[in-house]
């Protein structure tokens, strides 16, 4: 296999909105667990019918959902580089190179692509493990 060209034509990092809207099921489960733990801790200090409990429950929900993309971005550090011949996806320092001949948009949605025979969301978070037929 030929080495990808090292001349980067375009480079982009995932934006906050991408991190917020396009998460894998593992990330969503992690957020749910964090919210449930926060609620369990909160319920130890306030009765559930107290106004303070309700306000803090909303604060926990907003913090978990709203701040998690910053945490994901800091941990995963997704970077996408486009060269003349390859798309290079770097997540958590691990680079994966895809020849542009293997990159194809799927018409299920504007953020879905087929990379190396697998369905992927454009920001690289989710990968469906089953190859397309």
């Amino acid at each position: 296999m030929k080495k990808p060209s090292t001349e980067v034509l375009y480079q982009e990092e995932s934006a906050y909105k991408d991190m917020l809207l396009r998460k894998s099921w593992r990330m969503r489960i992690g957020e749910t667990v964090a919210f449930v733990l926060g609620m369990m801790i909160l319920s130890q200090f306030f009765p559930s019918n107290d106004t303070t409990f309700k306000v803090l429950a909303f604060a926990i929900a907003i913090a978990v959902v709203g701040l998690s993309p910053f945490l994901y971005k800091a941990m995963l550090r997704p970077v996408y580089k486009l060269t003349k011949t390859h798309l290079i996806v770097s997540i958590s320092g691990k680079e994966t190179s895809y020849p542009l001949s293997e990159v194809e948009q799927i018409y299920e949605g504007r953020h879905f692509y087929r990379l190396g025979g697998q369905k992927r969301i454009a920001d690289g978070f989710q990968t469906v493990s089953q190859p397309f037929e």
Side-chain angles (χ1 to χ4, degrees), residues 1-2 4 82-88 96-104 114-116:
M1 185 167 127
K2 290 172 66 176
L82 181 65
T83 66
K84 289 182 180 181
T85 58
H86 285 75
L87 172 65
I88 302 167
T96 307
S97 179
Y98 299 97
L100 290 182
S101 61
E102 292 183 15
V103 178
E104 178 183 346
R114 185 179 305 166
L115 298 175

Side-chain angles (χ1 to χ4, degrees), residues 70-103:
F70 293 114
L71 179 65
Y72 298 148
K73 190 169 184 176
M75 289 173 34
L76 299 176
R77 301 176 314 279
V79 178
Y80 308 93
K81 299 174 189 172
L82 181 65
T83 66
K84 289 182 180 181
T85 58
H86 285 75
L87 172 65
I88 302 167
V89 179
S90 175
I91 296 178
S92 297
K94 179 184 172 194
E95 283 193 353
T96 307
S97 179
Y98 299 97
L100 290 182
S101 61
E102 292 183 15
V103 178

Side-chain angles (χ1 to χ4, degrees), residues 13-80:
E13 294 182 14
S14 289
Y16 174 83
K17 185 178 178 183
D18 293 329
M19 305 291 248
L20 179 66
L21 298 177
R22 296 183 244 318
K23 301 175 211 168
S24 70
W25 61 272
R26 290 180 189 161
M27 293 178 180
R28 293 182 193 275
I29 289 174
E31 287 178 2
T32 303
V33 169
F35 176 73
V36 168
L37 288 174
M39 292 300 292
M40 289 172 63
I41 293 169
L42 186 63
S43 67
Q44 298 299 314
F45 297 107
F46 299 101
S48 62
N49 60 354
D50 189 20
T51 304
T52 307
F53 176 84
K54 294 174 185 175
V55 169
L56 289 176
F58 276 111
I60 289 171
I62 290 169
V64 167
V65 173
L67 298 178
S68 63
F70 293 114
L71 179 65
Y72 298 148
K73 190 169 184 176
M75 289 173 34
L76 299 176
R77 301 176 314 279
V79 178
Y80 308 93

